[in-house]
Amino acid sequence: MKILAVSDTVAGQLTASAIPQRFQDVDLVLSCGDLPLDYMEYLVCRVGRGTLFYVNGNHVQKNVLLADGSRKSEPEGCINLHRRVVNYHGLLVGGLEGSMVYNKGEHQYSEMQMALYARWMAPALALNRLRYGRGVDIMISHAAPKGIHDQPDRCHQGFGAFLGMMRRYHPLYWLHGHIHIYRQDAVRVTRYLDTTVMNVYEYQLIEIDDALLAARAKRR
């Protein structure tokens, strides 16, 4: 399965009149937040096979005016994964939205609130272990895990609750955005126990073999 993960900024390569070959066989799109609604709608139509899962970032478009005079605040044809885990053709994907609280805006949470949201997901993850031999394969979030790719200012601090979820459920990937990358030598990928933590600012491509998922089920 080939996955396109996006976050924070529109990728010019994905909006070109001719989409590059490497994006034409994408099976699934995952959005880690802070993207325009029309961009996500565009991706779900032109890239992948008509499925885009997303979580909101700390900057969310609200009441977007449409040509017919109506308004919308969610991308059409896309599925919000906040506090949920789904099975997409054998791939288990979960999500947690938002950032650390810094000015009491929407989609901002304290460490305690995020820990409660992680506990909220525990029954579904435990049921997945019984059904599929593992809780989750990919977690998507806007914020980074604490101490991994995050920054010291309040807005960009990561959540310790994410570390706890990785210790307990061992996802293959934890994908996040929120931390903008401006230098080529910036660290995008870090290994934490059994999990690859990846900053998908702009975009990243990931491929997962079905055999790997089967091996995870047997191992767990």
Side-chain angles (χ1 to χ4, degrees), residues 5 30 32 55 94-97 114 118 121 125 136-146 148-149 159-177 188-192 194-200 206:
L30 301 175
C32 293
V55 292
L96 287 166
E97 72 173 20
M114 191 58 74
M121 296 180 66
L125 295 170
V136 63
D137 298 313
I138 298 179
M139 280 293 300
I140 64 173
S141 63
H142 184 60
K146 185 175 182 179
I148 304 176
H149 308 158
F159 286 104
F162 297 169
L163 301 177
M165 291 187 74
M166 286 189 282
R167 287 193 295 267
R168 185 168 184 178
Y169 300 108
H170 308 278
L172 274 173
Y173 288 94
W174 192 292
L175 309 180
H176 72 88
R188 269 192 185 269
V189 181
T190 298
R191 189 76 174 172
Y192 181 80
D194 297 326
T195 303
T196 298
V197 181
M198 183 179 295
N199 182 350
V200 300
I206 301 164

Side-chain angles (χ1 to χ4, degrees), residues 4-16 23 35 39 42-43 201-204:
L4 171 66
V6 293
S7 188
D8 293 280
T9 189
V10 173
Q13 296 176 69
L14 291 167
T15 57
F23 300 116
L35 289 171
Y39 179 55
Y42 169 87
L43 291 177
Y201 174 77
E202 190 174 22
Y203 76 87
Q204 289 286 286

Side-chain angles (χ1 to χ4, degrees), residues 106-218:
E106 291 187 274
H107 310 291
Q108 298 176 24
Y109 305 102
S110 68
E111 182 66 63
M112 182 175 293
Q113 286 174 308
M114 191 58 74
L116 289 173
Y117 286 153
R119 290 183 184 178
W120 177 290
M121 296 180 66
L125 295 170
L127 185 58
N128 280 350
R129 276 181 165 172
L130 292 174
R131 286 178 172 174
Y132 311 115
R134 63 206 192 275
V136 63
D137 298 313
I138 298 179
M139 280 293 300
I140 64 173
S141 63
H142 184 60
K146 185 175 182 179
I148 304 176
H149 308 158
D150 62 348
Q151 295 177 356
D153 62 290
R154 181 71 177 176
C155 174
H156 295 97
Q157 288 178 12
F159 286 104
F162 297 169
L163 301 177
M165 291 187 74
M166 286 189 282
R167 287 193 295 267
R168 185 168 184 178
Y169 300 108
H170 308 278
L172 274 173
Y173 288 94
W174 192 292
L175 309 180
H176 72 88
H178 196 41
I179 308 302
H180 291 209
I181 292 177
Y182 302 110
R183 295 175 45 165
Q184 291 186 347
D185 61 350
V187 177
R188 269 192 185 269
V189 181
T190 298
R191 189 76 174 172
Y192 181 80
L193 300 178
D194 297 326
T195 303
T196 298
V197 181
M198 183 179 295
N199 182 350
V200 300
Y201 174 77
E202 190 174 22
Y203 76 87
Q204 289 286 286
L205 287 168
I206 301 164
E207 294 193 45
I208 296 179
D209 194 317
D210 289 344
L212 176 59
L213 300 182
R216 277 170 53 78
K218 291 179 180 178

